[in-house]
Amino acid sequence: MSSITNFAPVVCIVGFHHARGPEIESWFGVEEGQDLAVENDWNFLPFMALSDGAHTTTEDFSYFTLRKQDTPQTPATSLFGISCTRQLDARELLNRPEDVTRSTVQKSLVVIAGSPHSFGHLREKLSVVTRAWFAQRDFTDVEILKEFQESLATSLQDAEEDKDQYLGISLREFIHEFKHQTLVLFKCCLLQPKMLFFGSRCERLCMMQFGLISLIPGLIRKLEDCADPEMDTYERSITKPTSLKTSERSSLLAYMGLPLQIFGKGSLFGPYTPLQQLDTLADYGTKSYIVGSTNSLLLQQKDRYSDILINLDESTITITSSSLRSALTLSAADRRWIDFLTQTIYQTWDDEHPSRPRSHGYLGSEEFIRLQFEEYLLALLAATKYHKYLFATPYHLRELSAFPDIEGDPSLDFNESWIDAWKASGSFRLWDKLTDDHLFDIVEPRHPTAGGLSIDDINRRLTQQIQDLHLDDRLATSREALNKHLASGQKKMSSAFNSLWADIETLREAQRTRQQDARAARRPPSASFVNPLSPLAASLASPSTPGSDAGLLPSPSRFASLQSPESTPSTPGARFDAAGLRARAPDLSQAQAAVGAAGQKAGAYISSWGVWAKEQRKGWGRSRENLSSRADEGERPEKIASVDTESEAVRRQAEKETIKQRPKVVSPRKSKRGSRESVGGDGIGRLDA
């Protein structure tokens, strides 16, 4: 690894030429006239630095690997590059070159270093420097880039001392997105298949891969053979550990055979792999790889270029190999373990700060997750050695007194199909060669959540499946839409009801106004006012009329008082009464003439009525005399009685007729509940002729 750590970081500029495409423009940190791309056959470096689709974003990052050719002093090794791509409107350039014919200028600033573990720290600096360089609007001024390259050696050396620095996406975000599939991907990379990651965002695509391999303790620092399938420097230089210090974590991990080398002979790691490298992926010597691409053309040929496809845009995992699918099936213990970890992440999730727990505690933190995977991996390695020991040693020769609680083969909790598939991989062969056969004496060969399927597992599985359906989110959306419709419906109903009620009130008010106007038209302005044209007023106006009721008709002076300026408006047609209602003002001269004429008519009518009544009384007297004379003449009593009865009936009928024809006087003060024979249009009782 010394060859990697001794490599001095260099900087280069990659630009996009309208005719030649991506090309390297200049180097910083190398000797004058030296071109590392030519010396190391880095023909694909410009395409790695300028990723497909980078022009659609303001700023994008790409991560890639390069093979550094061997020299007489150093063997071939892997280098790691990170690029920051930005673009600028060509019209904003202060010095626009003649070969700039496009509307935008796209360039990438690239840093090539010997180890990727410090890229998390380097990314922020690279972003700031690139932004400042573009802000100058003069790409010929590269002084800031020279100073940046000179400071890289010191900054990377300081980062080298930070042993706990990890590169990649937050593991909390990883598990939150893929849930139990996180363990599937972890066990998959140990089997060394052909893993293809696809995503439209290059930086997220690369960070997912770095985050996955960082789950293997120490692997991020042992990637010297990952850039080319032909390299196997690690296997030729590694030696089997002979001592162990259980108090030191690094010593324990090394004794257990970690890191598991999944990038050795025939393997390739390319966080971003352009289409120009497809020939390398399809080469016979390339047995396994973990690569990423932003070009959707690979999705159409996924069966050829992948055993498992991880689509980050859709958050889906497609396993195209049937043998790999059975090996990656999680056991009950595996599912119980990853469900516990997933539930812990969900319980401590913070949308504003997804990389740290909501409680800021240890539970659910990055260190907690890494420790859980480390414990799982150590138990897996110990169980695999125990499984090998059971099959290699006869039963009567086994020394199992140290594990009285373990029954049978504990490796079955890790899925026997997976164990068999791992035994056929190159990483198992190298690990088995470098480790002791009795690792289970150091670490207990038991699954962290060993045991068969239980009711709790089923309940947890159902709960997780319900959570995967996102019913709360869907119901929340439905509830929001329903509440919105209910509120809108309630508003419409309330508006309609208010409108209906207002219409009803308007109709009632109009009806009330019409009734008041009708009553005002029928009634006099006061209780003592009598229509001077009514027959009753005419009969009462004459004091000499026999049988008349004097005092019921108001005097002309009272009519005159009603015409006072305070109570009677001068406008013709105006109305008034005691309640504030307006009535038509009477004409007194016409009223007096009408009263006189009505009085004469009433006197003549009453006189004729008196003559008629007198004649009727005379007729009744003659009837009685006839009856008495007939009785004296000896008529029978029955006949006389019948005659009397007939006479009585005639008399009663005559009285009824008389009553009907008799003029009736009704007082205007009579109660409404009383019987009124006739009511005039003005509401005052009158005599009907």
Side-chain angles (χ1 to χ4, degrees), residues 576-643:
F576 69 95
D577 58 9
L581 299 175
R582 295 181 302 175
R584 186 178 300 276
D587 189 353
L588 294 183
S589 59
Q590 296 179 0
Q592 291 177 356
V595 167
Q600 294 177 1
K601 292 180 180 180
Y605 173 76
I606 293 174
S607 300
S608 63
W609 180 81
V611 174
W612 176 83
K614 184 176 180 181
E615 292 178 353
Q616 289 293 331
R617 283 196 297 270
K618 291 180 179 180
W620 293 339
R622 287 194 298 269
S623 297
R624 293 192 185 94
E625 292 176 358
N626 293 333
L627 289 176
S628 60
S629 61
R630 290 169 61 187
D632 294 339
E633 292 174 358
E635 292 185 5
R636 288 180 298 177
E638 296 83 356
K639 187 175 182 179
I640 296 174
S642 62
V643 173

Side-chain angles (χ1 to χ4, degrees), residues 269-400:
F269 176 50
Y272 174 69
T273 303
L275 294 180
Q276 288 74 13
Q277 279 189 295
L278 289 182
D279 292 340
T280 304
L281 300 182
D283 189 77
Y284 178 77
T286 306
K287 304 299 181 181
S288 66
Y289 49 74
I290 298 178
V291 296
S293 176
T294 59
N295 198 308
S296 60
L297 293 177
L298 287 179
L299 296 179
Q300 303 174 8
Q301 304 183 36
K302 60 182 178 181
D303 294 337
R304 179 183 179 185
Y305 291 104
S306 67
D307 295 326
I308 178 172
L309 172 65
I310 301 93
N311 192 328
L312 301 181
D313 291 345
E314 299 178 0
S315 299
T316 58
I317 298 177
T318 304
I319 303 176
T320 58
S321 173
S322 58
S323 59
L324 183 62
R325 187 181 301 109
S326 61
L328 294 180
T329 302
L330 298 181
S331 63
D334 281 344
R335 190 60 185 266
R336 187 183 305 118
W337 180 82
I338 191 62
D339 284 347
F340 161 74
L341 200 57
T342 304
Q343 185 177 6
T344 303
I345 300 303
Y346 269 84
Q347 290 176 349
T348 59
W349 185 256
D350 188 356
D351 291 329
E352 296 182 357
H353 304 283
S355 61
R356 66 186 184 188
R358 182 171 51 199
S359 59
H360 300 277
Y362 173 73
L363 187 66
S365 62
E366 295 284 316
E367 293 77 10
F368 171 80
I369 297 173
R370 295 189 185 277
L371 182 60
Q372 296 301 314
F373 273 94
E374 182 179 307
E375 179 186 3
Y376 178 90
L377 185 57
L378 293 177
L380 171 62
L381 299 178
T384 304
K385 285 291 186 179
Y386 192 85
H387 170 79
K388 181 181 178 181
Y389 176 78
L390 290 178
F391 280 88
T393 307
Y395 182 79
H396 64 283
L397 297 178
R398 298 174 184 174
E399 297 178 1
L400 304 178

Side-chain angles (χ1 to χ4, degrees), residues 59 69 126 262 391 423 446 534 594 605 625 667 683:
E59 182 182 65
Q69 301 292 347
L126 181 61
I262 61 176
F391 280 88
K423 287 181 180 180
R446 180 194 295 274
S534 65
Y605 173 76
E625 292 176 358
S667 174

Side-chain angles (χ1 to χ4, degrees), residues 1 3-5 7 42 64-69 75-81 112-116 222-229 231 233 263 268-269:
M1 193 71 179
S3 62
I4 295 181
T5 55
F7 179 81
W42 292 344
F64 49 90
T65 59
L66 297 168
R67 175 190 170 110
K68 183 180 182 299
Q69 301 292 347
T77 187
S78 298
L79 299 179
F80 303 88
I112 300 175
S115 177
K222 301 291 183 180
L223 296 175
E224 57 261 36
D225 295 335
C226 71
D228 195 306
M231 294 191 299
T233 306
F263 300 113
L268 174 67
F269 176 50

